[in-house]
Amino acid sequence: MRALRTTTALAVTASFVLLAGCSSDDPADPSPEPSADESSPSASADLDGQSVTVVTHDSFAVPDDVLAAFEEDSGLDVTFVQPGDAGTLVNQLILTQDAPLGDVVFGVDNTFASRAIEEGVFADYKPTAPAAADAAEYAVAGSQALTAIDYSDVCLNYDIGWFEETGREVPENLGLLSDPEYNGILSVTNPATSSPGLAFLLATIAEFGEDGWEDYWRALADNDVRVTSSWSDTYFVDFSAPNYGGDYPVVLSYASSPPSEVIDGEPTTAALLDTCFRQVEYAGVLEGAENPEAGQAVIDWMLSDDFQASVPENMYVYPVSSQVDVPAEWAEYAPLADEPHTMDPEVISENRDAWIESWTEIVLD
């Protein structure tokens, strides 16, 4: 998800919205809720003086004081390993499964979660931290391998000033961006390497269906869509918004990005809420980790009030905890989509590779 949005400024998340489409819809198979007398294995473990390695994407961000408090309370020495964007992260986890990169992972999202679970990358863990019940609302059906930490909507963002200065109408929906009038204005990320990129691809498939999404991407390719390998390249380098000065007035980002672009009380960017895909980010203990109990402690920490409260202003996504308030300006500048695109994780799992292969042939070959 983003280290602005950190980048995840991450990643895509609020305490006042329940996720549709990424949690189990089967009332007969609810995600188990931790009982009051059920203690976390990490809670009883003596971790003082031990080390834990957290593998995450290159957008992860946490305040120094929040991290320092955790290290002091737990006795752990925390090291972070960041192999790349979220899509790259999952690929690396699978490739290094026999020699795990660390003990616990943060940043696998619902577009890649089923792949990681199927590959056996994660060990089961059921946290008992304060926000565990809230996290269960976003659980991957039939699995206890991943714990939801945050969520958001992956959406196209646009440069308000550019459209005002050029006199062009804002392309309020996906279909308009294939019009020749919008040639050369859109930058997105590669769905093979970027979780926001995959989320956007899924949004277009949900919007146009199996019979129409490929033609839509052919039209975008003809319209000179730019493709980068990571969210940070698209947002920080390509975006024409005042804080960045790139050449593309429409870029792929998050519904929660615009508050960070308010200058002197005036918004300079906005999200196109009809283009959104709901994204959830998870944490999980790596199978074969050297210190799994420390990894469990990290997950409990990420569900703590302190960590959850830090999520909005550091990773620009919504915390899963219902006990945490998001910044007041988000109501004005970062509303979530009323009807975001969603997709069953099983459908994603069954079709992801074929969809990415087809997309690559259309857009990059």
Side-chain angles (χ1 to χ4, degrees), residues 222-247:
D222 290 341
N223 235 12
D224 293 330
V225 63
R226 172 168 163 78
V227 178
T228 71
S229 62
S230 70
W231 172 88
S232 57
D233 286 338
T234 285
Y235 195 81
F236 294 129
V237 177
D238 285 355
F239 204 8
S240 65
N243 283 334
Y244 311 109
D247 297 326

Side-chain angles (χ1 to χ4, degrees), residues 251-316:
V251 301
L252 184 62
S253 194
Y254 294 81
S256 49
S257 298
S260 66
E261 311 305 338
V262 175
I263 299 176
D264 295 330
E266 293 295 327
T268 63
T269 71
L272 298 173
L273 296 182
D274 286 342
T275 69
C276 299
F277 186 90
R278 182 62 51 81
Q279 184 184 54
V280 183
E281 285 190 307
Y282 298 93
V285 177
L286 282 167
E287 187 70 58
E290 289 187 7
N291 198 344
E293 289 184 335
Q296 293 167 359
V298 168
I299 293 177
D300 287 343
W301 168 57
M302 288 184 174
L303 289 180
S304 69
D305 290 346
D306 284 349
F307 186 93
Q308 288 283 296
S310 77
V311 163
E313 293 185 334
N314 288 274
M315 293 196 284
Y316 291 85

Side-chain angles (χ1 to χ4, degrees), residues 75 107 115 127 136 140 159 162 172-173 176 184 198 220 269 277 311 324 358:
R115 181 184 178 199
V140 178
D159 176 357
W162 187 91
E172 297 287 353
N173 59 58
L176 287 173
L198 179 55
L220 288 186
T269 71
F277 186 90
V311 163
V324 171
S358 295

Side-chain angles (χ1 to χ4, degrees), residues 129-165:
D134 294 321
E137 298 288 346
Y138 305 83
V140 178
S143 175
Q144 292 186 10
L146 291 171
T147 300
I149 304 299
D150 64 63
Y151 69 98
S152 189
D153 285 339
V154 175
C155 313
L156 295 178
N157 283 210
Y158 69 95
D159 176 357
I160 294 172
W162 187 91
F163 282 93
E164 291 176 345
E165 291 167 8

